[in-house]
Amino acid sequence: VTTRDDARLDVWRHFLVAHAALVDVLERELQEAHGLPLAWYDVLVQLNAAGGRRRMGDLAESVLISRSGLTRLVDRMEEAGLVRRARVPGDKRGSEAVLTAEGRSALRTAAPTHLRGIEEHFSRHLNPQEVRAMREALGRIVAASPRADDADV
Amino acid sequence: VTTRDDARLDVWRHFLVAHAALVDVLERELQEAHGLPLAWYDVLVQLNAAGGRRRMGDLAESVLISRSGLTRLVDRMEEAGLVRRARVPGDKRGSEAVLTAEGRSALRTAAPTHLRGIEEHFSRHLNPQEVRAMREALGRIVAASPRADDADV
DNA sequence: CAAGATTGAGGCCTCAATCTTT
DNA sequence: AAAGATTGAGGCCTCAATCTTG
C-alpha cells in the first residue's frame, strides 16, 4: 500500500507548501497595497462580521491566536487608530475591541485587494468539484480536530 | 453569484482554520512524545531524504523558512547533537548541514508518531476521491504561486 | 560585484504569572 | 477559586547589513 500512503503524504506536504506560499503572497500584496498585515485584516473582518465589537477572548479564538497574543495585536491596532477598547456593560472583568470609523474604512479599502488575491492565487485554481471536495474534507478535519484547550481525555 | 463566491471563500477559511488546528495538534504530539519541535522534525526529514546532507540554502527552501532563520534553527539542532555542519568540497563559501547518528535515530524514533498523527488527524478524513482532488488542486496552486524571490514583473 | 551564509536589530507569538472581578 | 484580560520573560522568525569566497 506504499503508493496509497505516498499519495496521502503528498497531499499533506502539498497542503503545507500551499499554505506557506499563499499566506506569503497574500500578506505581501496586502502590505504593499495598504500597509496592512494579514493579521490586522483578519481582526477587522472578524470585528465587522460581529457587528463591530467583540470580546477579547472570542476574538482571539476567531483569529487563531492566543489571548495574550491578541492583547498585543489589539494594542498595536489601537495605536494605529483602527480599533479601540471598550468596557463590556455587564461584566467589569471583560473588555471588548471595537471597530473605529477608520478601521471600517481601512477594511473597505483593503477588502477588494485581498478578495481578488484569494481569487487569483487560490480559488481560481479550483473547479466546482474540487471546491465541494475541499470544503467538505476540510470541514470534517476541523470538526474532528481536538481543540487546544480540551482535556487530554 | 454570491453563493458561489461564498462557497469559495468558505474553502479558504476552512483551509486556514484546518492548517492552524493541524499544525497545532501535530506539534503538540511530537513535542510531548519526543520533545521534538515540528520544525526540527522537518529538517531531519529533508536531510534524510537528501541522503543525510544538504546545503544550507537548499535546506532553507525545503523547510519553508528564510536563510537566516535556518542558520539559527541549525544552530539549535547542532547544539542538541542532531546535525552538524560541514564544509562543502568544491566551494569554500558554502556550508552544509549533515545528519548525525543521533539525528537519524531521533527521526526513526519520531517518525511513527508523526506519521500516525498525520493519518489520524488529516488523511483519515479524506476519501480517495478527495485525496485526488486535493492533490491536484493544491499542486496547481503551488505551481502557479509566485515564488517570493521572483521579480514583480 | 554576486553568491552563500551568518549576525544584529527588531517584531510578534507563546507560556506562566499576575491583577481584577465574579 | 475560576474567569477575563494583561504583563513579563523568552523563543523563533524576518529584513538588512556584513563577512568571506568566487
Side-chain angles (χ1 to χ4, degrees), chain A residues 56-65 67 70 147 149, chain B residues 13:
Chain A
M56 292 296 284
D58 298 343
L59 188 53
E61 257 191 60
S62 295
V63 299
L64 311 172
I65 67 176
R67 277 167 186 245
L70 182 72
R147 287 283 306 110
D149 50 331
Chain B
R13 186 75 201 163

Side-chain angles (χ1 to χ4, degrees), chain B:
Chain B
V1 295
T2 312
T3 47
R4 198 184 65 221
D5 284 356
D6 284 355
R8 290 153 82 93
L9 264 186
D10 269 7
V11 180
W12 173 243
R13 186 75 201 163
H14 278 66
F15 185 77
L16 291 179
V17 176
H19 178 271
L22 287 167
V23 167
D24 197 75
V25 208
L26 293 173
E27 170 99 48
R28 216 164 40 236
E29 289 182 350
L30 209 48
Q31 190 71 253
E32 285 174 9
H34 309 284
L36 212 58
L38 200 47
W40 290 30
Y41 179 89
D42 202 11
V43 168
L44 295 177
V45 168
Q46 299 300 332
L47 279 179
N48 190 58
R53 45 176 59 219
R54 200 85 190 281
R55 297 280 296 234
M56 292 295 284
D58 299 342
L59 190 52
E61 258 191 58
S62 296
V63 301
L64 310 173
I65 66 177
S66 69
R67 276 167 187 242
S68 55
L70 182 73
T71 290
R72 310 198 218 239
L73 177 50
V74 169
D75 284 347
R76 298 190 294 274
M77 293 182 68
E78 194 167 21
E79 193 168 6
L82 301 183
V83 301
R84 63 183 179 80
R85 278 182 171 82
R87 279 194 205 67
V88 7
D91 189 342
K92 282 178 194 156
R93 293 170 305 180
S95 174
E96 51 184 22
V98 183
L99 209 48
T100 64
E102 197 179 343
R104 221 176 279 275
S105 159
L107 177 58
R108 266 199 302 270
T109 306
T113 301
H114 190 55
L115 293 175
R116 188 175 37 62
I118 293 171
E119 176 65 25
E120 174 179 348
H121 301 297
F122 180 73
S123 312
R124 183 163 70 80
H125 302 286
L126 309 177
N127 65 39
Q129 189 258 328
E130 288 164 343
V131 169
R132 227 177 308 122
M134 286 188 64
R135 191 151 73 130
E136 286 174 24
L138 294 175
R140 269 190 321 265
I141 286 168
V142 170
S145 181
R147 289 283 304 107
D149 50 332
D150 278 355
D152 200 351
V153 179

Side-chain angles (χ1 to χ4, degrees), chain A residues 67-90:
Chain A
R67 277 167 186 245
S68 53
L70 182 72
T71 290
R72 308 197 220 241
L73 177 50
V74 168
D75 284 347
R76 298 191 294 275
M77 294 183 68
E78 194 166 20
E79 193 168 4
L82 303 182
V83 301
R84 63 182 180 79
R85 280 183 170 82
R87 279 194 204 67
V88 5

Side-chain angles (χ1 to χ4, degrees), chain A residues 113-133:
Chain A
T113 300
H114 190 55
L115 292 176
R116 188 177 36 63
I118 294 172
E119 176 65 24
E120 173 179 349
H121 302 295
F122 180 73
S123 313
R124 183 163 70 80
H125 302 285
L126 309 177
N127 65 38
Q129 188 257 326
E130 288 165 343
V131 169
R132 226 177 308 122

